[in-house]
Structure formats: structure tokens, C-alpha cells
Amino acid sequence: MARIAVIGAGMGAMAAAARLAVAGQRVTVYERAATYGGSVGRFERDGFVFDTGPGLLHLPAVYRDLFVKTGKEPLESRVRLGQVDPASRHVFADGTDVRLPNASRGGVVSALDTALGAGAGERWGKFLGRARDAWDRSRRPLLEEPLWADWRVLGRDPYPAVRQRRLLRGARRATTVAEIGAWELADPRLAALLDGYALSYGLDPRHAPASAALLPYLEQTFGSWYVGGGMRELARAVYERCLARRVEFVFGAEVARIVEKDGAATGIELADGTVAEADHVVAGIAPGPLVEWRLDADGDVGSSAGEAGEAGEAGEATAPGRFTVLLALRGARDPGAAHRTVVHSPDGSAEAAEIFAGRTAARPTVTVLRPDDTATRPDDGHEAVTLTATVAPQGPVDWSDTALRERYADVLVAAAGAAVPEIAERIVWREVRTPADTAALTGAAGGSVPAPALAGAEGRMLLPGNSTRLSGLYRAGGWAHPGGGLAHAGMSGALVAGLIVEGADFRGSQ
């Protein structure tokens, strides 16, 4: 029985802990905060309940597999999991309004044709077909296997862009999300739809590789799911599964350094000086600041990621964060309201330019979440609504400035009026969360939120590998392969557990 020290109680770290415990390892999780879940948090007040992290789950198969493999019982035995329909409503700057059904490609095509005009749905459908090809080409090495030693093969973009012929000029192919929108989708609203998917994951549509087409493909193919009571219930279920498998949790335990001896990790030292010995250490946070030397040298596994091998170690603040407004509203929820509405910016390119230059976007894209869940509100005469926008991280913008927080919250509320009529007049109270709060809660530099790993862009969108040059030290969670997001975090936990239990023979998740 090996001793495993896990740093952090985020979703990826807990997924690894549960799998390792089932494999017979003795696992202890050390978490600096007072609770589990990392960014999957909850805020409660006056009978209102809000998710402060992800609001929906995509690829639920990742957590279904976790529960089956760690207890031979379905995820649905622990949480109420259901598809939301429509999957999303989109309100564009010209007033166009479209509802996209859940996990129905034909339904999406039909809805887009009806709302945007004949041919729009067909163009989106053909785009999804190409995205499926990219998924088939990259799925296993990108998501289900440890990052290859020859990671450079993932530097080639798997998206089969359409060859665009031009009179008297050479042909061209889209290499970025923005170019797909302009050249293949050929409708500013379809382009805004695609850009919105990229931006919601913290990616700059102007520079994100064409392979980011996987993101809408995954969502529209495998569906969007909500956990009854809020996504925090999923974190609770994973935590309880860990406890059932005898994983020990130590909260309020900040790890100061990873103890090393003879080129191997041999334990962790807490801020109070306590040392816990371990045969393996799993870092659910970027471990670079906790060791004395660089974990990835040039050319090593995981040293790609556009310097993100090191960005994941110490420079997460280069990635955007989330600005969230939690609204307690008087008045009943409209029975026909969509669970999720995206109110698109009138100028997505300007929005991205401002965010990625470290400024506040004047007119951001705003996601409005209105769960039809009695557990989130005190009674049927009130409604809990969450507004979210992708923003620059703490640092370039001082999100601790109270006046700025309140002014920007007003901007989000004004935009959300396109989704919730008279929303401002219905507010009982509101709570604002910014990247500054995320940084304080999770320790992520700048309150940045990691994006999923993507093939293409010469490997700049990859994340550091789960193994490191320090023997016995592994990475799990959003700042490691295969990147950010609930599903990807769960995948990273499975990969780390496989590497520890099976060693060099591990070839990936099944």
C-alpha cells in the first residue's frame, strides 16, 4: 500500500484520490480552504442558492465512469442529473433570438434555419461535421491518454478546414476560430455563436486554433446537463465517494513545499512546518512554486502549451477569469424561460481585444443562468439568476476596486435585460464575484480559469503533462493535461491514477 499525498481538493484531485483509494493506496488530501470542490462552489443567502463556478456539465460520461469504477453504482444514484432543453438560447445584437435544442444536430440545424434564414443551419451542420472529424482524429491522444513524449504531433490542427478559392489570389484555409466564422460560416450571427463558445472557455477567438470547433461539437453532440440543487452537488457526491473509499481530508492545510530527496518527491511540508511523508504526490494545483527547480525542460513532455508548461506553473494570470453576478429576484420564474441564455456582444472582436489586452470590455457577452430548480429559491415567488462574463484576470484589472465591481455588475445586468425583461426592477439583492475572489478562494494566480487543451497552434494550447521530471510528482486538475473544465478535470484524475497504479505500462483510459 503506497502513501499518496494529494494537494488540493478540486474535482481533478478528488477524482484521482477516489480511483487511487480503490486501487488500494492510502490517500490523504491536503486542502488550503475550509471545504472541497475548488472552483465548484456555492453561495447561499435568504433561501437563495447559487453555483459560483460551472453551471452545467458536459460529457457526463466522465463522472459516470468515475462512480462505476469506484463503487459499481451509477452517478445518478447520488445526484439528480438531467438534460436541459433547450440547451441554450442565443440573443444576437440585431435582435435575432434562437433556441438550440439539446443534443440534436438536426434540431439545431432546423432552429438556425428558422431564426437566421435558409442555409444558415446547413452551414452550421457542415461545420459540425468537420468538427466531428477533428474529434475523431484527436480524441484519444488529447483526452484519454497521457500526453505523448512526441507531443508535437498534436501541434498539427486536426480540423479539416475548407479550402477557400479566391480570384487572382491563392487559396486559403481557416486556421483560427474567427476565420472559420468569417470564411466558412459566412454569417455574423453564426460567427458570434462560434466565438461565444470559445470565449466562454477563456479562449481568444482571433487566435484560438480551428480545433476549438471541438467545443461546440461536444456540447451539441453529448448534451448539456444540470445537477439538481446546483453543480455543487456533484462536488459533494465526489467528496462523499472519496470518504466512502477511506480517503482522508485535511482542511485548512496549506502546502508550503513539496519535499524532495535524490530527485524524487517524498512528501509535502505544510505552512505550519508539519511534514507528511509520501511515496507519491499528486498536485491538484500548479506545483511549480512548491518545488526548487523547473519541472519541465524544453523538449520534455508537457513543456509546450505556449510556454504554458511554465504558465501552468507560475503564470496562470495570462488566462482570463470570470465575473459573476448572483441575483436574488422577486417574482416567479417564467415557465418558458431557457435554463441558459447567451446575450452576445455587438462587437465580439472588440470584446476579445479588450479582454486579452487586460482591459474591461465595454459590452461583454453575458451568459444568463435561470435554473428551474426549487432548491435554488426560497419559494415560487422568487428566482435565483446568475450572470457571467469572461474578463481579464486580476492584475491587469483591479477587481478588488469596489466601485469598479459595482459598475461592471451594472453592465452585466443591463445586458441581461435582453434575456430577462425588467430584471433590474426585480432585484432584491445581488452578490458580485470577480477574479480577485477566485484567486483568494482557489489560489489560482489572477483568478484565472484554465481552458481545455486543444490540438494545433504548434502545441501552444496543450497543458503540462500529468507526469513531471520530479519522480513521484504528478499533476491533476485544470492546469494539467487535458486542461480546464469539469469533464477534463475528471479525465486528468483518471490519467494520474493510471500512471501511479500501472506505471510505464499505462496507455490511457478505457
Side-chain angles (χ1 to χ4, degrees):
M1 177 186 291
R3 298 165 300 176
I4 313 291
V6 178
I7 304 172
M11 297 298 282
M14 289 198 296
R19 290 176 181 273
L20 287 166
V22 166
Q25 317 302 318
R26 192 172 72 197
V27 185
T28 303
V29 177
Y30 299 88
E31 168 57 52
R32 67 193 289 270
T35 188
Y36 55 85
S39 63
V40 186
R42 169 180 284 169
F43 179 81
E44 301 181 51
R45 176 180 162 188
D46 301 338
F48 292 91
V49 177
F50 302 87
D51 287 318
T52 57
L56 291 171
L57 175 65
H58 308 296
L59 285 178
V62 173
Y63 288 93
R64 286 178 173 141
D65 180 71
L66 171 65
F67 275 75
V68 170
K69 297 288 177 59
T70 60
K72 296 183 179 180
E73 57 185 352
L75 171 63
E76 283 84 350
S77 70
R78 296 298 176 182
V79 299
R80 291 185 290 114
L81 186 64
Q83 287 185 299
V84 297
D85 203 2
S88 57
R89 173 189 174 199
H90 295 266
V91 180
F92 298 100
D94 67 351
T96 303
D97 191 322
V98 58
R99 293 173 178 242
L100 302 182
N102 203 341
S104 171
R105 180 169 167 179
V108 167
V109 168
S110 177
L112 290 173
D113 268 340
T114 299
L116 276 61
E122 181 182 8
R123 288 195 299 277
W124 185 263
K126 289 181 176 178
F127 156 72
L128 286 183
R130 293 188 291 275
R132 180 195 59 211
D133 291 343
W135 165 254
D136 291 340
R137 295 173 182 178
S138 62
R139 174 183 59 85
R140 185 140 183 90
L142 189 65
L143 301 177
E144 298 174 357
E145 297 177 347
L147 194 59
W148 292 350
D150 182 18
W151 54 263
R152 290 169 184 80
V153 299
L154 287 172
R156 295 192 290 271
D157 199 315
Y159 179 78
V162 176
R163 189 168 183 264
Q164 307 284 330
R165 296 183 181 277
R166 298 185 296 173
L167 184 64
L168 303 179
R169 289 185 289 177
R172 64 187 179 186
R173 286 186 172 90
T175 61
T176 67
V177 166
E179 289 174 348
I180 291 175
W183 302 346
E184 297 183 7
L185 298 178
D187 183 306
R189 295 162 298 182
L190 290 179
L193 178 62
L194 177 56
D195 287 357
Y197 278 105
L199 193 61
S200 70
Y201 285 94
L203 298 168
D204 185 345
R206 303 168 304 162
H207 304 297
S211 63
L214 291 178
L215 301 176
Y217 169 77
L218 291 177
E219 183 172 319
Q220 294 188 8
T221 300
F222 300 106
S224 298
W225 302 74
Y226 175 71
V227 176
M231 297 303 297
R232 176 69 177 177
E233 290 301 295
L234 177 64
R236 177 193 57 77
V238 175
Y239 170 67
E240 291 180 352
R241 174 52 50 87
C242 287
L243 293 180
R245 298 301 168 259
R246 301 178 183 266
V247 174
E248 180 182 355
F249 286 79
V250 183
F251 294 107
E254 183 171 0
V255 176
R257 72 182 182 97
I258 295 168
V259 179
E260 309 163 38
K261 183 178 180 180
D262 299 329
T266 59
I268 54 99
E269 181 180 342
L270 302 180
D272 64 5
T274 302
V275 174
E277 296 182 350
D279 299 295
H280 303 282
V281 175
V282 176
I285 61 172
L290 303 180
V291 296
E292 297 179 354
W293 46 284
R294 183 173 172 176
L295 294 175
D296 293 305
D298 291 339
D300 282 353
V301 175
S303 63
S304 56
E307 304 291 323
E310 290 305 306
E313 303 306 318
E316 301 100 318
T318 57
R322 303 286 186 269
F323 189 100
T324 302
V325 185
L326 312 177
L327 297 174
L329 302 184
R330 64 176 59 87
R333 178 184 186 273
D334 178 358
H339 185 112
R340 174 179 55 172
T341 299
V342 181
V343 181
H344 292 270
S345 170
D347 190 340
S349 180
E351 177 188 16
E354 291 170 327
I355 292 170
F356 291 91
R359 300 188 297 267
T360 57
R363 301 185 68 180
T365 295
V366 177
T367 298
V368 183
L369 296 180
R370 305 178 69 184
D372 186 11
D373 186 348
T374 57
T376 66
R377 55 185 183 257
D379 53 57
D380 287 340
H382 293 84
E383 181 180 8
V385 172
T386 301
L387 315 180
T388 305
T390 298
V391 296
Q394 170 69 12
V397 175
D398 182 9
W399 291 115
S400 63
D401 183 328
T402 301
L404 173 61
R405 293 162 62 105
E406 293 304 317
R407 286 198 306 271
Y408 210 63
D410 290 340
V411 171
L412 266 66
V413 170
V420 187
E422 300 180 347
I423 187 171
E425 291 75 19
R426 294 177 57 195
I427 297 175
V428 179
W429 53 259
R430 73 186 188 188
E431 177 77 12
V432 179
R433 297 295 180 92
T434 76
D437 301 304
T438 303
L441 174 67
T442 68
S448 295
V449 178
L454 294 172
E458 299 180 344
R460 292 190 300 274
M461 304 305 295
L462 300 176
L463 276 292
N466 306 105
S467 299
T468 73
R469 293 176 67 218
L470 183 61
S471 178
L473 174 62
Y474 301 85
R475 303 182 184 92
W479 292 109
H481 178 73
L486 277 174
H488 290 70
M491 294 175 196
S492 78
L495 292 174
V496 166
L499 287 166
I500 292 175
V501 173
E502 299 183 32
D505 294 332
F506 182 62
R507 292 293 178 266
S509 304
Q510 300 299 318

